Amino acid sequence: MQFEESNRLRPMAHAVIPGGAHTYAKGDDQFPEEAPGFIVRGEGCHVWDVDGNEFIEYGMGLRAVSLGHGYAPVVAAAAAEMRNGLNFTRPAALELTAAEKLRRTLGQDDRMVKFAKNGSDVTSAAVKLARAATGRDLVAICGDHPFFSTDDWFIGTTGMPGGIPQAVRDLTVKYRYNDLASVEALIAAYPGRIACLVQEVETTEPPAPGFLAGLRALCDAHGIVLIFDEIITGFRWHVRGASHVHGVRADLTSYGKALGNGFAIAALVGEPELMELGGLRTDRERVFLLSTTYGADTHTLAAAMAVLDVYEQEPVIEHLHRQGRRLAEGVRQAAQAHGIAEFFGVAGRDSNLIYMTKDAEGERSQAFRTLFLQEMIRRGVIAPSFVMSYSHTDADIDRTVEAVDGALAVYAKALSDGVEGYLVGRPVKPVFRPYV
């Protein structure tokens, strides 16, 4: 497999775009040196790069594409609406229709909706509402969850806080997932100062019995706004989200990614008394909530409604879980067959799997992650994780398991002989790091 055109374009991209990509997770430092640098087309779960190589893909647009690339009904709905114009001086009637449809799909007819273009904006808007409603400054986030927003209140807590004043960094504090005692300790350490708790409902580990209900109770008892980030879990765990699966409702919830099947749309859904702080029916000081030129462009709303139609009419969620379960079983069997199950494995919901790579000492290893990525790419699979789509067929899963089996055969040799003898070039690196 050759990457001549990708290699030609890479230095050109870095000369024009900081980092060579507009999204850090898509950057060169996240992939092996022998990897496709640029994608030109996608169909279903298959993509083609600038060199004409075809791959089965499992990143699925950083988990945004749940139906498949170029999914015909969604594309058709967006294209049809584009003929009517995308953006007007007053709200489009479609804004109301889309908001009502989202509420019905989520089973939250008593709530209000605000659309935007990305998950960072809607989650940050939720934080702003919480601060305004409570009159408090501190934001408490789950420190075990990887990402909430590109805004300073979160990025200041990461390993890449450059450009963010210490005073801003100090306004965000952390608690541990599935550890109510850590939440209670945080509340006790900052009495009457915490505006909100922010966390994903679930990532690779399900919430422990009573944890989410305990968060809800603590927030109610201390006047704290509970915010759930369902940017990933919404429309992947269940059409009504992971909070529905676990039976606990937050005050404000952010949705995105799979809502648009790759189209740029996100939504904040929440209690009217909070949401109205950014509206025209409040007697309190108003909050500049979400107001962007492209926040509700019509073709994107049409795409989102088409996505919700597919979810309502077809067994999307069941398919995501079934195919993920088949793949997970195949991966585990391959790891056991090569005698490396303690060094390589998958975790998380079947619809949204990640894999863990360990070295010969049993430590988490970026070098071995890179090796696995490299060997999967050589076998026609791009898999920074194992994210399912409605377009992943049985044949795709079977071919992927074969690729995993071949990649793990190399992995097993590298455990014995040393990874440096099998890895081409440098290992991948964490996104959040202060220096290159």
Side-chain angles (χ1 to χ4, degrees), residues 342-402:
E342 62 184 299
F343 302 100
F344 184 91
V346 292
R349 282 270 169 173
D350 292 329
S351 63
N352 186 61
L353 296 165
I354 66 166
Y355 53 81
M356 296 168 289
T357 56
K358 295 181 180 180
D359 61 20
E361 285 70 46
E363 300 296 327
R364 296 289 287 270
S365 170
Q366 293 287 75
F368 274 91
R369 172 178 172 79
T370 313
L371 178 66
F372 180 75
L373 277 165
Q374 169 188 289
E375 295 304 313
M376 291 295 285
I377 288 168
R378 286 178 172 176
R379 291 162 176 78
V381 181
I382 302 176
S385 52
F386 288 127
V387 179
M388 291 298 127
S389 81
Y390 195 43
S391 295
H392 280 94
T393 66
D394 287 348
D396 293 316
I397 301 300
D398 291 343
R399 182 177 150 193
T400 302
V401 171
E402 290 178 6

Side-chain angles (χ1 to χ4, degrees), residues 59-213:
M60 302 312 295
L62 306 182
R63 299 173 174 82
V65 180
S66 61
L67 300 179
H69 300 298
Y71 199 77
V74 177
V75 173
E81 195 59 45
M82 287 172 73
R83 298 187 185 98
N84 298 323
L86 310 182
N87 215 313
F88 312 109
T89 304
R90 296 301 308 278
L94 200 62
E95 296 181 37
L96 173 59
T97 306
E100 290 178 331
K101 184 175 184 64
L102 178 59
R103 293 199 316 174
R104 288 195 303 272
T105 301
L106 293 173
Q108 299 185 33
D109 285 335
D110 57 333
R111 296 197 150 190
M112 300 184 78
V113 175
K114 191 88 170 183
F115 290 117
K117 303 310 289 181
N118 62 73
S120 290
D121 286 352
V122 291
T123 305
S124 288
V127 168
K128 189 187 299 182
L129 285 177
R131 282 172 160 165
T134 62
R136 303 170 182 175
D137 293 335
L138 294 187
V139 175
I141 65 171
C142 180
D144 300 306
H145 292 170
F147 189 83
F148 292 112
S149 175
T150 59
D151 286 344
D152 290 358
W153 65 269
F154 172 69
I155 297 300
T157 72
T158 72
M160 199 175 173
I164 301 172
Q166 188 63 48
V168 174
R169 302 183 201 182
D170 292 342
L171 292 176
T172 302
V173 294
K174 295 182 179 181
Y175 62 91
R176 300 300 305 274
Y177 184 63
N178 277 341
D179 186 351
L180 272 181
S182 73
V183 182
E184 293 169 338
L186 206 59
I187 293 171
Y190 302 100
R193 295 185 59 196
I194 296 176
C196 55
L197 300 184
V198 185
Q199 71 164 68
E200 295 186 65
V201 182
E202 178 179 344
T203 53
T204 58
E205 181 184 355
F211 176 66
L212 296 180

Side-chain angles (χ1 to χ4, degrees), residues 14 18-20 23-31 146-147 154-164 169 366 369-370 426-436:
H14 282 273
T23 308
Y24 281 118
K26 299 180 182 182
D28 286 340
D29 60 343
Q30 301 303 296
F31 290 87
F147 189 83
F154 172 69
I155 297 300
T157 72
T158 72
M160 199 175 173
I164 301 172
R169 302 183 201 182
Q366 293 287 75
R369 172 178 172 79
T370 313
R426 74 320 177 248
V428 299
K429 298 180 180 180
V431 167
F432 290 115
R433 61 187 194 276
Y435 300 101
V436 175

